[in-house]
Structure formats: structure tokens, C-alpha cells
Amino acid sequence: MAKILNIDPLSRVEGHLKIETEVDRGVIVAARIGGRMYRGLEHLLLGRHPVDAARITQRTCGICHEVHGVASILALEELYGIEPPPNGRLLRDLILGLHLVGDHLFHFYQLCLPDYADFSHLRSYQGKDPRLQEIARWLAAPDNRLFSGAAAGDYLRDRTLATELALSYFEALQVRREAASGLAILGGKVPFAQALMPGGLTTAVTTDKLMFFYRTLQKTRAFVENRYLPQILALAGAFRDYFSLGNAGYEFLSHASFTQGSAPLFHGGVTQAGTLEAFNPSLVAEGTEHAYYAEDGRLAADKPAAYSWIKTMHYQGRPMEVGPLARLAVNGDKEFRVLLAGFGERQVRSSVMARLLARALESKLICRHLDRLLELYCLGEPTIVPVDLKQPVDGMGRGFSIAARGALSHQIEARAGRVVRYQLRVPSAWNFGPAAGGHQGVVEAALIGASVTSGKASESLLAGRIVRSFDPCIACAVH
Ligand code: NFE
Ligand code: MG
């Protein structure tokens, strides 16, 4: 007889996420993912000045603020019919890129790593390294259960690697803090970049500021290349079977981004049975079959068939997986394929470990791209074109961009200078939305079929590893 395994809330994710599964003879046979808290961001924009959207939508989330600022600005620029100068676009890419890498570091070290590593061997550390002495004290604190071996599981056995990961866990926090100061130098402040405006950036960029940003980028890049990517590769070697776990079985979708410079870093597109097609926005549809909304979008908290506040996102009537893995799949990245081949993976396919690896490689690619972009900045040239914000603008604008977790778009409609409709379409809705039209949601599908008996992890640890490999953000997904 199937047994029920519910995790509510799942810890170490942004927002409120519920996992419901049925496990039959060690195999997950049914799964439902629920977003548990309604937010109302799209509603509270109604009636406001359009430019407020670039301020307010950054507050959608506690971890991915800048991405909403950028997507919102792109939508506003289409609405107002304005083109920012090259410097303005370039600064935006610099902000977006350094933010994404910091977000990836936070996902791996702070949110995901506790699923794989146990640092309890360090509790009795007697050596002279002051950093490890401090970690030993932290592990021994009576209220600390993180990395402390408190939960049973098939944690990493390689103690040398686990010790390196423990050091990197804390170093990653420092790196992210410095990256945030680089973002603040260009974006005005962190979190929530005030300098992002339709038409460009309001920041007065000087050589000093660029040098400050450059230094934070170099520190981030060094950590990514010397710690994050090598450590992910080592972890992948220790958990090879996770290249065969968590396959959602859907195609990949990505938006184009980092389009400044000689060639875009990421092309947009959709995979279709091994080929690549152009992304067509008119094929995207939002659904409410199992979500707490009526068909007209009004809230329906008592709807019997509903189990999530996340809407379903479909492309041509089907779910699509989004995220760093989707970006590298859509771009046919050669370096990624070489890394995968090292683990016997002959093609890019959806799995827990491919997602973790794609995130780390993408971080390296973004850092390199930002290095090249910095050289293209023209000191003394404008960063912004003025926009008449008093005009009673009428019309519609769309911004297609990316976030750490995948494809992101914002759409605004305005009448007489006021917002009459605002739509956020976010990555975690693509991945975490509920079933619809006979198709399970992406993460639900990744859970179904996972076998607990094949590995040594408990059901809850296995489910957590699969779900966290998508880097859930339910604050964004519900919005
Ligand atoms: Ni709240 Fe976000 C990112 C966006 S996820 S984290 O990345 O958009 O849906
Ligand atoms: Mg929406």
C-alpha cells in the first residue's frame, strides 16, 4: 500500500512550499507541489504610475530583486517607446550578471549543500586552523542541527572534500557580501536597485566605481573558478546516480539575455525533440485548473480542485523546464557537454546533478562575459536618456529577460498614465506550477518515478534533493 509523505513547509527555500507525495514500494508514484502563500503583487500595481512597477516588483522576492527590476524596465521601455544608450544597457547587464552569480552561490552553499554534506567530523577538530576551530564551535552549539549529522542520510563520505566545503560555505557568504557591494556601486543600493530607470541608469559612473565593481567581480570570479565549479564537479563524482534522478522529462525553454557585446551570452529558444526552435511569446499560456483562482483570475481559496497558489505556465499546451540547465541546453554549450561526458552523460538531460552543474558552469560563463563587457564601457558617454514621465502613456510593453532560476518576463498595460494590468511570468512558476491539461508540473514530474530503494537516502532527503535542485522560489512563483 502506498504511504503518504508530506513536507510542509520545505525548509531552505524562499517562500512557502509544500510537497505531497505517495511512495509505493520505495518509488514516488504521485506528487503535488503547492505554493502556500498568496502575495498580490500584480494587483497592488493597478492604478499606479507605470514607473512604480520597477520599484515595487523588485520587492516580489527576498533573493532575486534586480532581475525583476531589469524585466520591468524592459517592459516600461517598450511602453514608453524609448531606447537606452549602450552604456545604460551595459550597466544593466553588469548588475544582472553579478547578481545572478551571487544568487547561484547562495543556492549551492547555503540552501542546497546541507542535503549532501555532514560536517560533524569537524566538531572534534583539534588542529590550528582558526577558521576550522570556529566551525567546530559553531557545530557544537546545542541549537545547531545544520551539517551536524543530526539527520540520517547518505552524506558525502570524503572528509577532505567535506572540510573544503565547510570552509567554502562561510567564504561564499563573504564573496556574496562583496558582490552585493559591487551591485550597490552601480545600482544605487542593494537590495532593490534604485538606479534602474526606463531609459538607462541614473548612476554617475566614474573610474573609481568601475574599478570597485571590477574588483568585486574578480573576487567572485576567482571563487567560482577555484571553489564553486571544482567542488560541484567533485560532489557530482560522489553522487553520480543523481545524473539519473529527477528527470522532469519535458523540453527546455530559455529567453535571450546578456545581449550587449559582440555576441549574446545566451540565445533564447525552445528545445523540441533534439532540435531548437525560436521562442514565440504568443504560445505561452497561464492556467488555473489546479490553482486557487477562478478562470477570470479572481482569487478562489475554496476551489475544490485547487492545491496551489502558483498558476500553471504552459508553452504550446505543455510544461517546460527553465533554469541554468535549460539555458545551456538551448545554447548547446560545448563546455557543458564536455563536463557531462566526464560523467558518462552523452546528452543534456534533466536531472538533479545536471542542474547543479549547469548553475556552476553558468556562473563561470557569466563572470567571463562581464569581464569582457567592462572593457566596452565608454566613460563620459551618457548612461540614460531622459523620459517624460508625466505623459499620460497608453499602451502595452513586454520585457523578456532571465533570472537565476530561468526565463522571466514582465508585461504592463497602461491607460492615461496608469497601470491597468500587470503580469509577472517567473521561472519558479514554470517549474513549480501545478498539473494542468493532463500534464504534471515540472517538479512534480521530476519527483514521480524516483526510487528511494535504489539509493541510500531517506524519502524526505531524496525529495528535498530533487526539489531543491530547481532552486525553488515560491515568493516569486506566487507573486
Ligand atoms: Ni524569488 Fe526569482 C529568480 C524570479 S524565481 S527568486 O531567479 O523571477 O521565480
Ligand atoms: Mg503572474
Side-chain angles (χ1 to χ4, degrees), residues 128-200:
K128 294 212 164 69
D129 187 332
R131 300 167 307 165
L132 293 174
Q133 289 168 351
E134 196 173 340
I135 291 172
R137 283 193 292 276
W138 176 71
L139 287 165
D143 57 348
N144 181 25
R145 288 169 57 84
L146 204 61
F147 299 110
S148 63
D154 61 333
Y155 294 103
L156 190 66
R157 290 224 187 89
D158 179 341
R159 288 194 168 180
T160 310
L161 178 58
T163 303
E164 278 178 28
L165 286 164
L167 291 169
S168 296
Y169 176 88
F170 290 98
E171 203 186 332
L173 290 169
Q174 290 300 324
V175 171
R176 187 160 177 252
R177 185 180 65 77
E178 290 198 38
S181 63
L183 293 178
I185 279 285
L186 295 188
K189 76 177 183 56
V190 161
F192 318 129
Q194 284 300 101
L196 287 169
M197 287 293 284

Side-chain angles (χ1 to χ4, degrees), residues 42 286 311 423-425 478-479:
E42 289 168 351
E286 288 185 317
K311 288 181 187 166
Q423 287 293 310
L424 296 114
R425 288 173 169 174
V478 179
H479 57 262

Side-chain angles (χ1 to χ4, degrees), residues 14 39 60-65 67-68 99-100 103-104 327 402-410 424-430 432 471-479:
E14 174 81 8
R39 314 281 311 291
T60 305
C61 181
I63 44 181
C64 73
H65 347 96
V67 299
H68 291 293
H99 156 76
L100 289 183
D103 202 342
H104 285 349
R327 284 195 276 270
I402 65 165
R405 291 154 196 78
L408 169 68
S409 71
H410 283 207
L424 296 114
R425 288 173 169 174
V426 309
S428 290
W430 281 103
F432 287 83
D471 192 0
C473 176
I474 306 307
C476 279
V478 179
H479 57 262

Side-chain angles (χ1 to χ4, degrees), residues 14 107 115 118 131 134 147 180 201 222 238 258 262 266 276 294 302 330 336 339 352 370 380 400 410 441 462 464 478:
E14 174 81 8
H107 170 258
D115 286 339
D118 165 6
R131 300 167 307 165
E134 196 173 340
F147 299 110
L201 251 87
F258 296 108
S262 52
F266 297 129
L276 186 65
D302 299 323
V330 163
F336 188 46
L339 291 180
V352 168
L370 300 191
F400 296 97
H410 283 207
L462 178 80
V478 179

